[in-house]
Amino acid sequence: MTRHAGLVTVGEFSRLTHLTVKTLHHYDDVGLLDPADVDPVTGYRYYALDQVASAQLIRRLRAVRMPVPQVRAVLGAPDATVREGLIAAHLDQLRRELADTAAAVANLQLLLTGGAVAPSVTTRDIPDLPGVVATGRVGRDLIGAWCAQVYPRLYALAGRLGGVAGPAGALYGDGWFEDARGEVTAFVPLTGAAEPAPAPDGVPRAAVVRGGRYAVALHSGPFDDIDRTYAALGSQVTAGAHGRIGAAGPIREIYLVSPDDTPDPAGIRTEVCWPLLTAPATDP
Amino acid sequence: MTRHAGLVTVGEFSRLTHLTVKTLHHYDDVGLLDPADVDPVTGYRYYALDQVASAQLIRRLRAVRMPVPQVRAVLGAPDATVREGLIAAHLDQLRRELADTAAAVANLQLLLTGGAVAPSVTTRDIPDLPGVVATGRVGRDLIGAWCAQVYPRLYALAGRLGGVAGPAGALYGDGWFEDARGEVTAFVPLTGAAEPAPAPDGVPRAAVVRGGRYAVALHSGPFDDIDRTYAALGSQVTAGAHGRIGAAGPIREIYLVSPDDTPDPAGIRTEVCWPLLTAPATDP
DNA sequence: TTGCTCCTCACGTCACGTGAGGTGGC
DNA sequence: TTGCTCCTCACGTCACGTGAGGTGGC
């Protein structure tokens, strides 16, 4: 018999679910929603009516932009608790994206209304600082999560090693800006020196943070528009207003008032330190 | 001289703007942000410091997901009024997307909490109806805008031709569900018959809307989850509970209470009519 | 002179959409 | 038998990211 009992064709399933035929093909290809039966000779797909429920869930999860692999995980969840956990996690993610978008809109409007004040730039010699540091190769999209993990550990270690001597900071080198990922070194300065020790990536250790001469600008507000401060600072350095230019190591940020220190994003204070080539010692 | 006065390399411009080198290459490729100078022999890109302002605007517009062609239009706007108009239009678009997402979350939660009640299905013979109609090939993403254009015109014409006899409706045929676009016929029934007349796509005209036998279900609430009603209705028809099945023309929706009639989306009432094959007249 | 920076292909990602060209089913 | 539905490639979309392999500049 050619009639498949209780099964419907793609076109029919499309009308039942409001998923297009092309979408159903795609979900078959990626194994998200396999037809109940596929005719081995014609390749015709046949769907069971009880697959409509899965299709409805898929459609709704995709409508809230859950990535296909996560949707697959939801469908394959062993029980309702796991399933609800996955969905709740994604809805949290959505809320974060919504907050990010709202912040980006505010950021845009700040630029358009000219509310942006050009920061003043000064030159500063920063000495070598004993501290606790953690290093990692991090992507720009993960830097927030990375910092949230690393700084508490750094502060904990600093407490055990004699106390915190000043604001935390970080060094961004090696393609951090050019590639949106690179080597990041987070640090917290120590009161008094500790024995420097090696440690693997991401694990806090005692070390000396190299100093040098920097052009420095203070950034007020959230990190979203810290590019304005970088632009003002870097433009001045590039224009030659602060002596010799050129690659002189990583850019340093110093977190005078971090997001953890203030409930108001406008209260955040960050010093951006752009390295300057110091005159060689042999220069007369 | 090899040194380009007042110009910086991609890497430097990347640090100034927080756009990656790959992104800057891409913006060069698509003509969104051309370097001030390109060395004809090495291909090296050189950017002017005053291009930082454009880069900052681009970064912020992209952060609010403005498509690249629109960003280009903003940068090329002849004056501030046009520019602000384009940006405001996009922010409106963002707000609509935000509302859509909120609705999709509600829709998902309705499914998860099982708040969905299966609609009851009845059979109905719908007679041929004199009315005013407009036809067009429309994509699913544009159907809202299309309806917003077409129905006011239909009601206007119906008023001139003798008055409205009942709720408006639409016929969805020809790949509307399978391809997410297809021929849509919007109609408003007329009191008394008018002389049928041809008209091009999208232009209202008098015509008779063909009737037939339908399985009918009432959908309560917004259109986002009308797929539930389609599923319940189509499953019953497919399962053979309503006589012969098969393709019997377009699906019909009747807008008993449309979004224009009620401020509360939950108050919307739509009848979904699934065509049934009527027994041929020659059947004993 | 050595790295470092820069270059250009070519291909990958994500979730499908768009045809082209051809066959099966009622 | 005629359409209508279904099929499978192969390629396109959008905004970049990811190497590979090679060259220029200080």
Side-chain angles (χ1 to χ4, degrees):
Chain A
M1 65 186 275
T2 53
R3 194 58 175 285
H4 293 251
L7 299 181
V8 297
T9 61
V10 243
E12 187 71 6
F13 198 66
S14 170
R15 259 161 281 161
L16 293 178
T17 60
H18 288 199
L19 296 168
T20 69
V21 170
K22 288 296 184 179
T23 298
L24 289 168
H25 283 183
H26 180 63
Y27 290 166
D28 184 8
D29 289 346
V30 301
L32 183 54
L33 185 63
D34 296 328
D37 190 28
V38 178
D39 188 309
V41 46
T42 66
Y44 273 40
R45 295 167 177 83
Y46 295 97
Y47 293 84
L49 287 181
D50 61 19
Q51 295 189 282
V52 166
S54 293
Q56 288 180 345
L57 182 56
I58 291 171
R59 211 175 80 92
R60 280 159 180 74
L61 294 175
R62 290 290 309 132
V64 296
R65 292 189 291 281
M66 181 182 280
V68 163
Q70 284 187 52
V71 175
R72 191 165 21 217
V74 169
L75 292 181
D79 60 61
T81 310
V82 172
R83 173 175 309 215
E84 284 157 21
L86 288 167
I87 292 171
H90 180 68
L91 293 182
D92 263 9
Q93 176 65 24
L94 259 193
R95 270 186 280 278
R96 276 192 294 277
E97 286 172 13
L98 195 149
D100 287 351
T101 298
V105 169
N107 190 1
L108 171 62
Q109 261 146 1
L110 186 67
L111 188 80
L112 293 176
T113 56
V117 191
S120 64
V121 178
T122 58
T123 303
R124 186 190 304 169
D125 285 304
I126 298 178
D128 293 352
L129 289 176
V132 288
V133 312
T135 293
R137 191 174 165 73
V138 191
R140 214 131 94 185
D141 47 344
L142 295 176
I143 186 65
W146 189 80
C147 288
Q149 273 220 329
V150 155
Y151 280 105
R153 294 185 194 170
L154 287 175
Y155 278 108
L157 179 60
R160 291 199 299 278
L161 292 181
V164 175
L171 306 175
Y172 297 92
D174 242 47
W176 172 259
F177 300 101
E178 295 90 329
D179 289 345
R181 62 185 161 153
E183 182 151 303
V184 179
T185 301
F187 67 85
V188 172
L190 269 186
T191 305
E195 191 64 28
D201 269 11
V203 176
R205 62 193 165 87
V208 172
V209 181
R210 285 267 154 245
R213 171 160 293 178
Y214 292 87
V216 180
L218 177 67
H219 177 71
S220 299
F223 296 119
D224 305 39
D225 58 345
I226 203 167
D227 61 329
R228 287 195 298 104
T229 299
Y230 271 76
L233 179 56
S235 294
Q236 284 209 24
V237 172
T238 301
H242 295 269
R244 291 150 148 281
I245 67 160
I251 284 177
R252 175 190 294 235
E253 290 184 359
I254 299 174
Y255 305 113
L256 300 182
V257 181
S258 87
D260 288 340
D261 300 329
T262 169
D264 176 17
I268 298 171
R269 293 290 179 274
T270 308
E271 277 182 332
V272 181
C273 310
W274 196 286
L276 298 173
L277 277 185
T278 45
T282 53
D283 230 25
Chain B
M1 66 186 277
T2 53
R3 194 57 172 288
H4 292 251
L7 299 181
V8 297
T9 61
V10 244
E12 187 72 6
F13 198 66
S14 169
R15 261 162 279 161
L16 293 178
T17 60
H18 288 199
L19 296 169
T20 70
V21 169
K22 287 297 185 181
T23 299
L24 289 168
H25 283 183
H26 181 62
Y27 290 166
D28 185 8
D29 289 346
V30 300
L32 183 55
L33 185 64
D34 296 327
D37 190 29
V38 177
D39 188 309
V41 45
T42 66
Y44 274 38
R45 295 167 177 86
Y46 295 96
Y47 293 85
L49 286 182
D50 61 18
Q51 294 189 281
V52 166
S54 294
Q56 289 179 344
L57 182 56
I58 291 171
R59 212 174 80 92
R60 281 161 179 73
L61 293 175
R62 290 292 307 130
V64 295
R65 294 189 289 281
M66 181 183 280
V68 164
Q70 284 187 49
V71 175
R72 195 169 12 221
V74 170
L75 291 182
D79 59 64
T81 310
V82 173
R83 173 174 311 214
E84 284 156 23
L86 289 167
I87 293 172
H90 180 67
L91 293 182
D92 264 9
Q93 175 65 24
L94 259 193
R95 270 186 281 278
R96 276 191 295 276
E97 286 173 13
L98 196 150
D100 288 351
T101 298
V105 169
N107 190 1
L108 170 63
Q109 260 146 2
L110 186 68
L111 188 81
L112 293 175
T113 56
V117 191
S120 64
V121 178
T122 57
T123 303
R124 186 190 305 167
D125 284 306
I126 299 179
D128 294 351
L129 290 174
V132 289
V133 312
T135 293
R137 191 174 164 75
V138 192
R140 214 131 94 186
D141 47 344
L142 295 177
I143 186 65
W146 189 80
C147 289
Q149 273 220 326
V150 156
Y151 280 106
R153 295 185 194 172
L154 287 176
Y155 277 108
L157 179 59
R160 290 200 299 276
L161 293 182
V164 175
L171 305 175
Y172 297 93
D174 238 49
W176 172 259
F177 300 101
E178 297 90 329
D179 289 346
R181 63 186 159 154
E183 182 150 304
V184 179
T185 300
F187 67 85
V188 171
L190 269 186
T191 305
E195 191 65 28
D201 270 12
V203 175
R205 63 197 165 89
V208 171
V209 180
R210 284 268 155 246
R213 172 160 291 179
Y214 291 88
V216 179
L218 177 68
H219 177 71
S220 299
F223 297 119
D224 305 39
D225 58 345
I226 204 166
D227 60 331
R228 288 195 298 103
T229 299
Y230 271 76
L233 178 57
S235 294
Q236 284 208 27
V237 172
T238 301
H242 295 269
R244 292 151 146 279
I245 67 162
I251 284 178
R252 176 191 295 237
E253 291 184 0
I254 299 173
Y255 305 113
L256 299 182
V257 181
S258 87
D260 288 340
D261 300 328
T262 169
D264 177 17
I268 299 170
R269 295 290 179 273
T270 309
E271 278 184 331
V272 181
C273 310
W274 197 285
L276 299 172
L277 277 186
T278 45
T282 55
D283 229 24

